[in-house]
Amino acid sequence: MKKELPKLYEPKEVEDKIYKFWVDNDCFKATRDPQKKPYTIVIPPPNITGQLHMGHALDETLQDILIRWKRMCGYSALWLPGTDHAAIATEVKIVDAMAKEGLTKESLGREKFMERA
């Protein structure tokens, strides 16, 4: 039986079912297997600008390849979402927002700036 692929990809038709399966089967839970050597990659999230580019796609693809390869080699491999790595971009966005209010980092001081950030 010949089945034709749809012209457009509709994520809602596919991704919700897959994500539910992952959640229902604890796919996001990290478990340590003491019988295996650990291998971990922390996934940095997109920076505060929200601008994704080919570099992000390449980075995630390479991480995916490495995790799968290590898993096939017998490692207890964990690909874990991490914390924001883009402090410079974050600072720029905060400083820009403050400038619209007539504020500067220097006028706030380190502690107040850190609270705001």
Side-chain angles (χ1 to χ4, degrees):
M1 181 166 142
K2 191 175 182 182
K3 186 173 181 182
E4 191 171 319
L5 291 174
K7 301 272 184 241
L8 296 173
Y9 174 65
E10 297 291 340
K12 284 283 183 199
E13 292 178 12
V14 178
E15 293 176 3
D16 287 344
K17 287 185 281 189
I18 293 172
Y19 191 80
K20 182 178 178 349
F21 174 84
W22 289 345
V23 169
D24 291 348
N25 290 279
D26 291 330
C27 293
F28 297 113
K29 278 193 176 173
T31 55
R32 186 175 176 278
D33 183 347
Q35 304 300 313
K36 295 181 178 181
K37 188 173 180 181
Y39 181 83
T40 305
I41 295 177
V42 178
I43 308 167
N47 58 32
I48 194 169
T49 64
Q51 299 296 313
L52 300 178
H53 51 72
M54 289 304 293
H56 291 101
L58 175 63
D59 184 46
E60 302 298 314
T61 301
L62 294 174
Q63 290 178 27
D64 185 35
I65 291 167
L66 288 169
I67 287 293
R68 290 171 189 258
W69 178 61
K70 287 294 191 175
R71 208 170 270 146
M72 288 188 292
C73 291
Y75 285 76
S76 179
L78 174 63
W79 196 18
L80 183 71
T83 57
D84 188 3
H85 66 292
I88 295 170
T90 302
E91 181 180 346
V92 168
K93 287 291 187 180
I94 294 168
V95 169
D96 286 349
M98 287 173 34
K100 292 176 184 169
E101 300 170 30
L103 300 171
T104 66
K105 286 188 334 184
E106 295 74 22
S107 69
L108 283 182
R110 179 175 172 74
E111 292 305 315
K112 293 250 190 250
F113 178 76
M114 292 306 290
E115 284 175 27
R116 178 149 183 160

